[in-house]
Structure formats: C-alpha cells, structure tokens
Coordinates of all heavy atoms in Angstrom, one line a residue:
M1 N -22.7 -32.8 -27.0 CA -21.7 -31.8 -26.7 C -22.0 -31.2 -25.3 O -23.2 -31.0 -25.0 CB -21.9 -30.7 -27.8 CG -21.0 -29.5 -27.5 SD -21.0 -28.3 -28.8 CE -19.5 -28.7 -29.6
P2 N -21.0 -31.2 -24.5 CA -21.2 -30.7 -23.1 C -21.6 -29.3 -23.0 O -21.2 -28.5 -23.9 CB -19.8 -30.9 -22.5 CG -18.9 -31.2 -23.5 CD -19.6 -31.5 -24.8
N3 N -22.3 -28.9 -22.0 CA -22.8 -27.5 -21.8 C -21.6 -26.8 -21.4 O -20.9 -27.0 -20.3 CB -23.9 -27.5 -20.9 CG -24.6 -26.2 -20.7 OD1 -24.2 -25.3 -21.4 ND2 -25.4 -26.0 -19.7
V4 N -21.2 -25.7 -22.1 CA -20.1 -24.9 -21.8 C -20.6 -23.5 -21.2 O -21.3 -22.8 -21.8 CB -19.2 -24.5 -23.0 CG1 -18.1 -23.7 -22.7 CG2 -18.8 -25.9 -23.6
E5 N -20.3 -23.4 -19.9 CA -20.7 -22.1 -19.3 C -19.6 -21.2 -19.2 O -18.4 -21.5 -19.0 CB -21.2 -22.4 -18.0 CG -22.5 -23.2 -18.0 CD -23.0 -23.5 -16.5 OE1 -22.7 -22.6 -15.6 OE2 -23.7 -24.4 -16.3
A6 N -19.8 -19.9 -19.4 CA -18.7 -19.0 -19.3 C -18.5 -18.7 -17.8 O -19.4 -18.7 -17.0 CB -19.1 -17.6 -19.9
K7 N -17.2 -18.8 -17.5 CA -16.8 -18.6 -16.1 C -17.1 -17.1 -15.8 O -16.6 -16.3 -16.5 CB -15.4 -19.0 -15.9 CG -15.2 -20.4 -15.8 CD -13.7 -20.8 -15.4 CE -13.5 -22.3 -15.3 NZ -12.2 -22.5 -14.8
I8 N -17.7 -17.0 -14.7 CA -17.8 -15.6 -14.2 C -16.6 -15.4 -13.1 O -16.6 -16.1 -12.2 CB -19.2 -15.4 -13.5 CG1 -20.3 -15.6 -14.5 CG2 -19.3 -13.9 -12.9 CD1 -21.7 -15.6 -13.9
S9 N -15.8 -14.5 -13.6 CA -14.6 -14.2 -12.7 C -14.9 -13.0 -11.8 O -15.6 -12.1 -12.2 CB -13.4 -14.0 -13.5 OG -13.5 -12.9 -14.3
R10 N -14.4 -13.2 -10.6 CA -14.5 -12.0 -9.7 C -13.5 -11.0 -10.2 O -12.4 -11.3 -10.6 CB -14.1 -12.5 -8.3 CG -15.1 -13.5 -7.8 CD -14.8 -13.9 -6.3 NE -15.5 -14.9 -5.9 CZ -15.3 -15.7 -4.9 NH1 -14.2 -15.6 -4.2 NH2 -16.2 -16.7 -4.5
P11 N -13.8 -9.8 -9.9 CA -12.8 -8.7 -10.2 C -11.5 -8.9 -9.3 O -11.7 -9.2 -8.1 CB -13.6 -7.4 -9.9 CG -14.8 -7.7 -9.3 CD -15.0 -9.3 -9.4
E12 N -10.5 -8.8 -10.1 CA -9.2 -9.0 -9.4 C -8.9 -7.8 -8.5 O -9.2 -6.7 -8.9 CB -8.1 -9.2 -10.4 CG -8.1 -10.5 -11.1 CD -7.0 -10.7 -12.1 OE1 -6.0 -10.0 -11.9 OE2 -7.1 -11.5 -13.0
S13 N -8.3 -8.0 -7.4 CA -7.9 -6.9 -6.6 C -6.7 -6.2 -7.2 O -5.9 -6.8 -7.9 CB -7.5 -7.4 -5.1 OG -6.5 -8.3 -5.2
P14 N -6.6 -4.9 -7.1 CA -5.5 -4.2 -7.7 C -4.3 -4.6 -7.2 O -4.1 -4.9 -5.9 CB -5.8 -2.7 -7.4 CG -6.8 -2.7 -6.3 CD -7.5 -4.0 -6.3
P15 N -3.3 -4.7 -8.0 CA -1.9 -5.0 -7.4 C -1.4 -4.0 -6.5 O -1.8 -2.8 -6.5 CB -1.0 -5.1 -8.7 CG -1.7 -4.1 -9.7 CD -3.2 -4.3 -9.4
A16 N -0.6 -4.5 -5.5 CA -0.1 -3.6 -4.5 C 0.9 -2.6 -5.2 O 1.5 -2.9 -6.2 CB 0.8 -4.5 -3.5
P17 N 0.8 -1.4 -4.7 CA 1.7 -0.4 -5.3 C 3.2 -0.8 -5.2 O 3.6 -1.2 -4.2 CB 1.4 0.9 -4.7 CG 0.7 0.5 -3.4 CD 0.1 -0.8 -3.7
L18 N 4.0 -0.5 -6.2 CA 5.3 -0.8 -6.0 C 6.1 0.2 -5.3 O 5.9 1.4 -5.4 CB 6.0 -0.9 -7.5 CG 5.5 -2.0 -8.4 CD1 6.1 -1.9 -9.8 CD2 5.8 -3.4 -7.8
E19 N 7.0 -0.2 -4.5 CA 7.8 0.7 -3.7 C 9.1 0.9 -4.4 O 9.7 -0.1 -4.8 CB 8.0 0.2 -2.4 CG 8.8 1.1 -1.4 CD 8.9 0.6 -0.1 OE1 7.9 0.5 0.7 OE2 10.1 0.3 0.3
P20 N 9.6 2.1 -4.6 CA 10.9 2.3 -5.2 C 12.1 1.7 -4.4 O 12.0 1.7 -3.2 CB 11.1 3.9 -5.3 CG 10.1 4.3 -4.3 CD 9.0 3.4 -4.1
L21 N 13.1 1.3 -5.0 CA 14.3 0.8 -4.3 C 15.2 1.9 -3.8 O 15.8 1.8 -2.8 CB 15.1 -0.1 -5.3 CG 14.4 -1.4 -5.7 CD1 15.2 -2.1 -6.8 CD2 14.0 -2.3 -4.6
A22 N 15.1 3.0 -4.6 CA 15.9 4.2 -4.2 C 15.1 5.5 -4.7 O 14.3 5.4 -5.6 CB 17.3 4.1 -4.8
V23 N 15.4 6.6 -4.0 CA 14.7 7.8 -4.3 C 15.9 9.0 -4.4 O 16.9 8.9 -3.8 CB 13.7 8.3 -3.3 CG1 12.6 7.3 -3.3 CG2 14.3 8.3 -1.9
R24 N 15.5 10.0 -5.1 CA 16.4 11.2 -5.2 C 16.4 11.9 -3.9 O 15.4 11.8 -3.1 CB 15.9 12.1 -6.3 CG 16.2 11.4 -7.8 CD 15.6 12.4 -8.7 NE 15.8 11.8 -10.1 CZ 16.7 12.2 -11.0 NH1 17.5 13.2 -10.8 NH2 16.8 11.5 -12.2
I25 N 17.3 12.8 -3.8 CA 17.5 13.4 -2.5 C 16.3 14.3 -2.1 O 15.9 14.3 -0.9 CB 18.7 14.3 -2.5 CG1 20.0 13.3 -2.4 CG2 18.9 15.4 -1.4 CD1 21.3 13.9 -2.5
P26 N 15.6 15.1 -3.0 CA 14.4 15.9 -2.5 C 13.3 15.0 -1.9 O 12.6 15.4 -1.0 CB 14.0 16.6 -3.8 CG 15.2 16.7 -4.6 CD 16.0 15.4 -4.4
I27 N 13.1 13.8 -2.5 CA 12.1 12.8 -2.0 C 12.6 12.4 -0.7 O 11.7 12.3 0.3 CB 11.8 11.7 -3.0 CG1 11.4 12.2 -4.4 CG2 10.8 10.7 -2.4 CD1 10.1 13.0 -4.4
A28 N 13.8 12.0 -0.5 CA 14.4 11.5 0.7 C 14.1 12.6 1.9 O 13.8 12.2 3.0 CB 15.9 11.1 0.6
M29 N 14.4 13.8 1.5 CA 14.1 14.9 2.4 C 12.7 14.9 2.9 O 12.4 15.1 4.1 CB 14.5 16.3 1.7 CG 15.9 16.5 1.4 SD 16.2 17.9 0.3 CE 15.1 19.1 0.9
Q30 N 11.8 14.8 2.0 CA 10.4 14.7 2.4 C 10.0 13.5 3.2 O 9.3 13.6 4.2 CB 9.4 14.8 1.1 CG 9.5 16.0 0.4 CD 8.6 16.0 -0.9 OE1 8.3 14.9 -1.3 NE2 8.3 17.0 -1.4
L31 N 10.5 12.3 2.9 CA 10.2 11.1 3.6 C 10.7 11.2 5.0 O 10.0 10.7 5.9 CB 10.8 9.9 2.9 CG 10.2 9.6 1.5 CD1 11.1 8.5 0.9 CD2 8.8 9.1 1.8
I32 N 11.9 11.8 5.3 CA 12.4 11.7 6.7 C 12.2 13.0 7.3 O 12.6 13.2 8.5 CB 13.8 11.2 6.7 CG1 14.8 12.1 6.0 CG2 13.9 9.7 6.3 CD1 16.3 11.6 6.0
G33 N 11.7 14.1 6.6 CA 11.5 15.4 7.2 C 12.6 16.2 7.7 O 12.6 16.8 8.7
V34 N 13.7 16.1 6.9 CA 14.8 17.0 7.3 C 15.3 17.8 6.0 O 14.8 17.7 4.9 CB 16.1 16.0 7.6 CG1 15.7 15.3 8.9 CG2 16.5 15.2 6.5
R35 N 16.2 18.7 6.3 CA 16.7 19.7 5.3 C 17.8 18.9 4.4 O 18.4 17.9 4.8 CB 17.4 20.9 5.9 CG 16.4 21.7 6.6 CD 17.0 22.9 7.1 NE 16.1 23.9 7.5 CZ 16.3 25.1 7.9 NH1 17.6 25.6 7.9 NH2 15.4 26.0 8.2
R36 N 18.1 19.5 3.3 CA 19.0 18.9 2.3 C 20.4 18.7 3.0 O 21.1 17.8 2.8 CB 19.2 19.9 1.2 CG 20.2 19.5 0.1 CD 20.3 20.4 -1.1 NE 19.1 20.3 -1.9 CZ 18.9 19.5 -2.9 NH1 19.8 18.6 -3.3 NH2 17.7 19.5 -3.6
S37 N 20.9 19.7 3.8 CA 22.1 19.7 4.5 C 22.2 18.5 5.4 O 23.2 17.8 5.6 CB 22.5 20.9 5.2 OG 21.4 21.2 6.1
T38 N 21.0 18.1 6.1 CA 21.0 17.0 7.0 C 21.1 15.8 6.2 O 21.9 14.9 6.6 CB 19.8 17.1 7.8 OG1 19.6 18.3 8.5 CG2 19.6 15.9 8.8
V39 N 20.5 15.6 5.1 CA 20.6 14.4 4.2 C 22.1 14.2 3.8 O 22.7 13.1 3.9 CB 19.7 14.5 3.0 CG1 20.0 13.4 2.0 CG2 18.3 14.5 3.4
Y40 N 22.7 15.3 3.4 CA 24.2 15.2 3.0 C 25.1 14.8 4.3 O 26.1 14.1 4.1 CB 24.7 16.4 2.3 CG 24.2 16.5 0.9 CD1 23.2 17.5 0.5 CD2 24.8 15.7 0.0 CE1 22.8 17.5 -0.8 CE2 24.4 15.8 -1.4 CZ 23.4 16.6 -1.8 OH 23.0 16.7 -3.1
A41 N 24.7 15.3 5.4 CA 25.5 15.0 6.6 C 25.2 13.4 6.9 O 26.3 12.8 7.3 CB 25.1 15.9 7.7
L42 N 24.1 13.0 6.8 CA 23.8 11.6 7.0 C 24.5 10.6 6.1 O 25.0 9.6 6.4 CB 22.3 11.3 7.0 CG 21.5 11.9 8.1 CD1 20.0 11.8 7.9 CD2 21.9 11.2 9.4
I43 N 24.6 11.1 4.8 CA 25.4 10.4 3.8 C 26.9 10.4 4.2 O 27.5 9.4 4.1 CB 25.2 11.1 2.4 CG1 23.7 10.9 1.9 CG2 26.2 10.5 1.3 CD1 23.4 11.7 0.7
K44 N 27.4 11.6 4.5 CA 28.8 11.6 4.9 C 29.2 10.7 6.1 O 30.2 10.1 6.2 CB 29.2 13.1 5.1 CG 30.6 13.3 5.4 CD 30.9 14.8 5.5 CE 32.5 14.9 5.8 NZ 32.9 16.4 5.9
A45 N 28.2 10.7 7.1 CA 28.4 9.9 8.3 C 28.2 8.4 8.0 O 28.4 7.5 8.9 CB 27.4 10.3 9.3
G46 N 27.8 8.0 6.8 CA 27.5 6.7 6.4 C 26.2 6.1 6.9 O 26.0 4.9 6.9
K47 N 25.3 6.9 7.3 CA 24.1 6.5 7.8 C 23.0 6.3 6.6 O 22.0 5.6 6.8 CB 23.5 7.4 8.8 CG 24.3 7.4 10.1 CD 23.7 8.2 11.2 CE 24.7 8.2 12.4 NZ 24.0 8.3 13.6
L48 N 23.3 6.9 5.5 CA 22.4 6.7 4.3 C 23.3 6.2 3.2 O 24.4 6.7 3.0 CB 21.8 8.1 3.9 CG 20.7 8.6 4.8 CD1 20.2 9.9 4.3 CD2 19.5 7.6 4.9
Q49 N 22.8 5.1 2.5 CA 23.5 4.6 1.4 C 23.1 5.2 0.1 O 21.9 5.3 -0.1 CB 23.2 3.0 1.4 CG 24.0 2.3 0.4 CD 23.7 0.8 0.3 OE1 22.8 0.3 1.1 NE2 24.3 0.1 -0.5
T50 N 24.0 5.6 -0.7 CA 23.7 6.2 -2.0 C 24.1 5.3 -3.1 O 24.9 4.4 -3.0 CB 24.3 7.5 -2.2 OG1 25.8 7.4 -2.1 CG2 23.9 8.5 -1.1
V51 N 23.4 5.5 -4.3 CA 23.8 4.9 -5.6 C 23.7 5.9 -6.6 O 22.9 6.8 -6.7 CB 22.6 3.8 -5.8 CG1 22.9 3.2 -7.2 CG2 22.4 2.8 -4.8
K52 N 24.8 5.9 -7.4 CA 24.9 6.8 -8.5 C 24.3 6.3 -9.8 O 24.7 5.1 -10.1 CB 26.3 7.3 -8.8 CG 26.9 8.2 -7.7 CD 26.3 9.6 -7.7 CE 26.8 10.5 -8.7 NZ 26.4 11.8 -8.8
L53 N 23.4 6.9 -10.4 CA 22.8 6.4 -11.6 C 23.0 7.6 -12.6 O 22.2 8.5 -12.7 CB 21.4 6.0 -11.5 CG 20.7 5.3 -12.6 CD1 21.4 4.0 -12.9 CD2 19.2 5.0 -12.3
G54 N 24.0 7.5 -13.4 CA 24.3 8.7 -14.3 C 24.7 9.8 -13.4 O 25.7 9.6 -12.5
R55 N 24.0 10.9 -13.6 CA 24.4 12.1 -12.7 C 23.6 12.2 -11.5 O 23.8 13.0 -10.6 CB 24.2 13.4 -13.6 CG 25.2 13.5 -14.7 CD 24.9 14.7 -15.6 NE 24.9 15.9 -14.8 CZ 24.4 17.0 -15.3 NH1 24.0 17.1 -16.4 NH2 24.5 18.1 -14.5
A56 N 22.6 11.3 -11.4 CA 21.6 11.3 -10.2 C 22.2 10.5 -9.1 O 22.7 9.5 -9.3 CB 20.3 10.7 -10.6
T57 N 22.1 11.2 -7.9 CA 22.4 10.4 -6.6 C 21.1 9.9 -6.1 O 20.1 10.7 -5.8 CB 23.1 11.3 -5.7 OG1 24.4 11.9 -6.4 CG2 23.5 10.7 -4.4
L58 N 21.1 8.7 -5.8 CA 19.8 8.1 -5.2 C 20.2 7.5 -3.9 O 21.2 7.1 -3.6 CB 19.3 6.9 -6.1 CG 19.0 7.3 -7.6 CD1 18.6 6.0 -8.4 CD2 17.8 8.3 -7.7
I59 N 19.2 7.6 -2.9 CA 19.4 7.1 -1.6 C 18.5 5.9 -1.6 O 17.3 5.9 -1.8 CB 18.9 8.2 -0.6 CG1 19.8 9.4 -0.7 CG2 19.0 7.5 0.8 CD1 19.5 10.5 0.1
T60 N 19.0 4.7 -1.0 CA 18.2 3.6 -0.9 C 17.1 3.6 0.1 O 17.3 4.2 1.2 CB 19.1 2.3 -0.6 OG1 19.8 2.5 0.6 CG2 20.2 2.1 -1.7
M61 N 16.1 3.0 -0.2 CA 14.9 3.0 0.8 C 15.3 2.2 2.0 O 14.9 2.6 3.1 CB 13.6 2.4 0.2 CG 13.0 3.3 -0.9 SD 12.4 4.9 -0.3 CE 11.1 4.4 0.8
S62 N 16.1 1.1 1.8 CA 16.5 0.3 3.0 C 17.3 1.2 4.0 O 17.1 1.0 5.2 CB 17.3 -0.9 2.6 OG 18.4 -0.6 1.9
S63 N 18.2 2.0 3.5 CA 18.9 2.9 4.4 C 18.0 3.9 5.0 O 18.2 4.3 6.2 CB 20.1 3.5 3.7 OG 19.7 4.5 2.7
L64 N 17.0 4.4 4.3 CA 16.1 5.4 4.9 C 15.3 4.7 6.1 O 15.1 5.3 7.2 CB 15.1 5.9 3.9 CG 15.7 6.9 2.9 CD1 14.7 7.2 1.8 CD2 16.1 8.2 3.6
R65 N 14.9 3.5 5.8 CA 14.2 2.7 6.8 C 15.0 2.5 8.0 O 14.6 2.5 9.2 CB 13.6 1.4 6.3 CG 12.3 1.5 5.7 CD 11.6 0.2 5.6 NE 11.1 0.2 4.2 CZ 11.6 -0.2 3.1 NH1 12.8 -0.6 3.1 NH2 11.0 -0.1 1.9
G66 N 16.3 2.2 7.8 CA 17.3 2.0 8.8 C 17.4 3.1 9.9 O 17.9 2.8 11.0
L67 N 17.2 4.3 9.4 CA 17.2 5.4 10.3 C 16.3 5.4 11.5 O 16.4 5.9 12.5 CB 17.1 6.7 9.6 CG 18.2 7.2 8.7 CD1 17.8 8.5 7.9 CD2 19.4 7.6 9.4
T68 N 15.1 4.8 11.2 CA 14.0 4.8 12.1 C 14.0 3.5 13.0 O 13.3 3.5 14.0 CB 12.7 4.9 11.5 OG1 12.5 3.7 10.6 CG2 12.5 6.2 10.8
E69 N 14.9 2.5 12.6 CA 14.9 1.3 13.4 C 15.7 1.5 14.8 O 16.7 2.2 14.7 CB 15.5 0.1 12.6 CG 14.8 -0.3 11.5 CD 15.4 -1.4 10.6 OE1 16.6 -1.7 11.0 OE2 14.8 -1.8 9.7
A70 N 15.2 0.9 15.8 CA 15.8 1.0 17.0 C 17.2 0.1 17.1 O 17.1 -1.0 16.5 CB 14.9 0.5 18.2
D71 N 18.2 0.6 17.7 CA 19.4 -0.1 17.7 C 19.4 -1.2 18.9 O 18.8 -1.0 19.8 CB 20.6 0.7 18.0 CG 20.9 1.6 16.7 OD1 20.7 1.1 15.6 OD2 21.4 2.8 16.8

C-alpha cells in the first residue's frame, strides 16, 4: 500500500472584498463628498445613472467613478 501523506495546505488568502454595483443616495453623498441636493442635480443633469429597485433609488458605481475621470 502506498504511503499516503496528508497534504499540508497553505492558508488561503481572503477573497477580495466585493464592490457594490450601485449604492443608495446617502452612500453616494459620502463617496463623492457632496450634499443631497448636489446628487439630485447631477442625476437631473445626466451625470449620474440611477436604477430603481422597488422604492429605492440606487446610483451606479460606474457613474460615480465617471465623475472623477478626466474628459
């Protein structure tokens, strides 16, 4: 019978934290450092993309990132 050794496994690195696809308005306010009225103005101007999920209005992370990208 062959010698069976238990494999010693290295501890796995923790998985990368998941990033949300969209956030609620108060979180978006914190992320970009502006007031609620500014967030709504950016939505109205088409600079932030929103998604309705039930009664919640979510702002996509890609549109938040787009605010900081150079044109």
